[in-house]
Amino acid sequence: MPTVFIFFGFRFMFYSNDHDPIHVHIVKDDCEAKYNVSPIEQVYNHGFKKQQIAIIESIIEENVEVITERWKAHFNEE
């Protein structure tokens, strides 16, 4: 499970067997959410509160390029 980065205790990560479209999983405590990156779209949310979701979405918005670059490097995509 490659970690892309950790902000404010939120772990942004991929699963090694992940699939397109480019997306990121966010884990903290017993909560998990999944977001597609382009366009930014919540796929699911298991336990995060509204305020936490707002923080997660702003972090993704500010780091779309980083997430995309790390995805392509990890999955050997051009």
Side-chain angles (χ1 to χ4, degrees):
M1 292 185 276
T3 297
V4 181
F5 46 71
I6 298 173
F7 281 122
F8 306 114
F10 296 101
R11 180 180 176 206
F12 292 75
M13 55 173 269
F14 309 131
Y15 288 107
S16 290
N17 62 345
D18 261 339
H19 52 81
D20 286 331
I22 297 174
H23 62 274
V24 64
H25 298 265
I26 303 90
V27 178
K28 183 176 181 180
D29 301 326
D30 292 329
C31 303
E32 182 175 355
K34 176 181 172 183
Y35 276 84
N36 289 336
V37 173
S38 184
I40 298 171
E41 176 182 43
Q42 186 183 91
V43 177
Y44 63 75
N45 171 26
H46 299 298
F48 285 116
K49 296 179 181 177
K50 192 175 186 176
Q51 183 180 19
Q52 292 172 306
I53 289 296
I55 293 168
I56 289 167
E57 289 178 358
S58 68
I59 292 170
I60 294 171
E61 287 174 13
E62 293 292 323
N63 292 281
V64 168
E65 290 178 7
V66 172
I67 295 167
T68 302
E69 288 173 11
R70 299 261 174 95
W71 175 280
K72 289 181 178 182
H74 181 75
F75 294 104
N76 297 314
E77 297 179 5
E78 293 288 321

